[in-house]
Amino acid sequence: MTIPYDPASFTKDRIEAAAALLGLDLPHQEQWDFIQQMISLDLQAAPGSGKTSLVGLKLALLAQGWRSATRGVCVISHTNTAKDEITARLDAVPAGRSLLHYPHFIGTIQSFVNTFLALPALRSMKVEIQTVDDEAYAAAALRLLDRPR
């Protein structure tokens, strides 16, 4: 099986250029090891240590050399904050924008389960899916709270 990206995307000069573009400094060898590792990874570190920034950088590099139209990258985060930071970093890099739509997925574990497990299971059981509009729901909830008792 061929890899869906150009390995040259992860050369030292390209990493340094992309890091500079995203305003990142890579002073630790562990950061370089993570960026240059080409297998599925579970990145764990202390809060505020730059995990999300590193993931955003790695994805920006990957996007620059992505060659497949049918294979994608799946990034699952535990928080919307991390997901939003990753998508903002990708949006800042022209090639990175390609990872923000199909066949790629960047989202929370909840959105992944909803998109790829719950909704397909319900559809297969012929259950009618009704989507709740958050803004409409919030407006209705506020009207209920403002109603005299």
Side-chain angles (χ1 to χ4, degrees):
M1 177 165 75
T2 61
I3 56 174
Y5 61 89
D6 180 4
S9 299
F10 293 92
T11 59
K12 187 176 189 309
D13 60 325
R14 287 193 185 182
I15 293 171
E16 289 172 341
L21 181 66
L22 294 173
L24 299 174
D25 187 28
L26 303 173
H28 305 291
Q29 184 59 44
E30 292 87 355
Q31 294 170 316
W32 282 92
D33 293 344
F34 170 77
I35 294 296
Q36 293 178 315
Q37 187 63 251
M38 291 297 111
I39 59 171
S40 288
L41 295 170
D42 180 24
L43 180 60
Q44 296 183 22
S49 62
K51 296 179 297 289
T52 305
S53 297
L54 275 180
V55 170
L57 172 59
K58 186 167 188 158
L59 289 169
L61 290 162
L62 196 60
Q64 290 174 6
W66 197 259
R67 301 186 285 209
S68 176
T70 57
R71 294 168 64 186
V73 175
C74 180
V75 179
I76 299 177
S77 169
H78 290 281
T79 67
N80 280 319
T81 303
K83 184 254 320 170
D84 292 343
E85 182 181 333
I86 290 168
T87 56
R89 287 193 183 277
L90 289 173
D91 198 38
V93 179
R97 294 182 195 120
S98 66
L99 295 185
L100 298 178
H101 51 80
Y102 182 84
H104 311 285
F105 176 84
I106 299 171
T108 62
I109 185 67
Q110 293 88 349
S111 63
F112 179 85
V113 168
N114 185 60
T115 302
F116 297 105
L117 301 175
L119 290 177
L122 290 171
R123 287 184 184 116
S124 74
M125 294 185 299
K126 307 290 188 236
V127 173
E128 181 182 341
I129 309 295
Q130 295 182 3
T131 303
V132 175
D133 182 324
D134 290 340
E135 290 178 22
Y137 178 81
L142 288 172
R143 282 194 303 276
L144 284 174
L145 288 173
D146 288 340
R147 195 170 69 191
R149 296 167 213 244

